[in-house]
Amino acid sequence: MARIENLNLSQRVTNELGKAIIAGAYSGNMGLPTEAQLCEEYGISRTAVREAVKMLAAKGLISSRPRQGIRVESPDNWNLYDTSVLKWMLESSPSLHVLKEFLQVRQAIEPQAAALAARKGDQNAIAEIAKALEAMQAAAIQSEGNLLEADLAFHTAVLQASGNRFFFQLRDFIRTALNVSIQHTTPAKGSKKTIAEEHNRVYIAILNGEAEQAKNMMSYLIDEAMTFIENEIASMEAKKSVG
C-alpha cells in the first residue's frame, strides 16, 4: 500500500517539476533543489523524490550524477515524443511556436500515411476511418457526440491504415498535440460541417485507392491549420512589439 502511495506522490511531483522546468523556473545553471529540499517542499519521503527524479531523467529533462547533484538538461535533450513532456510544453508559453513545429512534423508524416492507406487498401482499417468520420459527421450535423474525440480517432485510424508500424507508434504523440491544435484551429473555421466535409474528402480518396489525392487532401487540412497558427503567432508578436 505504501508503495502505491509513494508512486502517486512521485507522479504528482514529476508533473509539477516537469512543468516548472519547461516553463523556465529552473535552468541548467541553477539546477533543481536538493533531495532534502524537495522532501521538505512537497512533504514526501526521499523514496518518492527519487522516483520522481528517475521519471524526469527518463524524459530527458534532468540528469543526476554523483557529486554533481540534479542538473536541468538543455531543451535539446528533452524527449519531445514523450507525451507528458509535449503536454507540458503545450501548456507553457509560447505554445503556438510548439504547435507550429508539431504541424511541421504532421506535414511530414500524415499525408504520406494517407497515401499509403490508399495504396494498401486494408478494408478493415479503412472501416475504422469511416467509423471515425461518421462520428464526426454526427457531431457536426446533429450535435451528437464529441467532434474533437472523433477527429482524433480519424487521424489515428489513418496512421493505422497506412500499415507503417513506425507511423502508428506515433499515435499518442500525434493525439496529444493534435488535441491542443484542434482546439486552436476549429473556431477559425466556424463550421463543424466544413471540418467533417474536409475529412470526408481524405476518406473518399483513401477508399477509392487514390493515393495522390489522399496525400493532397491531408496536406490541405494541415496547411490550413498551419496558416492559422502562423497568423496567430504574427499577431502575438505584433502586439508584443507595440507593447
Side-chain angles (χ1 to χ4, degrees), residues 83-158:
T83 54
S84 293
V85 174
L86 181 60
K87 182 179 178 182
W88 297 332
M89 289 181 70
L90 291 170
E91 291 174 353
S92 181
S93 179
S95 63
L96 288 175
H97 289 287
V98 179
L99 284 176
K100 180 178 178 178
E101 289 184 278
F102 165 68
L103 286 168
Q104 290 168 343
V105 173
R106 286 187 62 201
Q107 190 61 273
I109 293 172
E110 291 193 69
Q112 185 63 25
L116 288 173
R119 292 193 188 100
K120 188 174 179 62
D122 183 325
Q123 294 307 304
N124 290 330
I126 292 174
E128 288 300 310
I129 301 175
K131 181 179 176 181
L133 177 63
E134 288 170 7
M136 288 186 71
Q137 292 169 332
I141 299 172
Q142 304 168 13
S143 298
E144 295 179 3
N146 186 325
L147 179 66
L148 173 59
E149 190 56 39
D151 200 338
L152 294 174
F154 181 93
H155 290 275
T156 302
V158 171

Side-chain angles (χ1 to χ4, degrees), residues 185-230:
T185 57
T186 294
K189 295 193 176 184
S191 170
K192 293 180 179 179
K193 291 182 180 180
T194 298
I195 295 170
E197 179 55 36
E198 289 174 347
H199 284 71
N200 182 59
R201 293 190 190 115
V202 177
Y203 165 69
I204 293 298
I206 292 174
L207 181 66
N208 292 337
E210 300 170 347
E212 197 61 28
Q213 178 72 356
K215 182 178 181 180
N216 290 339
M217 289 299 96
M218 184 64 84
S219 288
Y220 174 78
L221 286 180
I222 301 170
D223 283 343
E224 268 197 321
M226 179 66 83
T227 298
F228 175 77
I229 293 297
E230 287 179 337

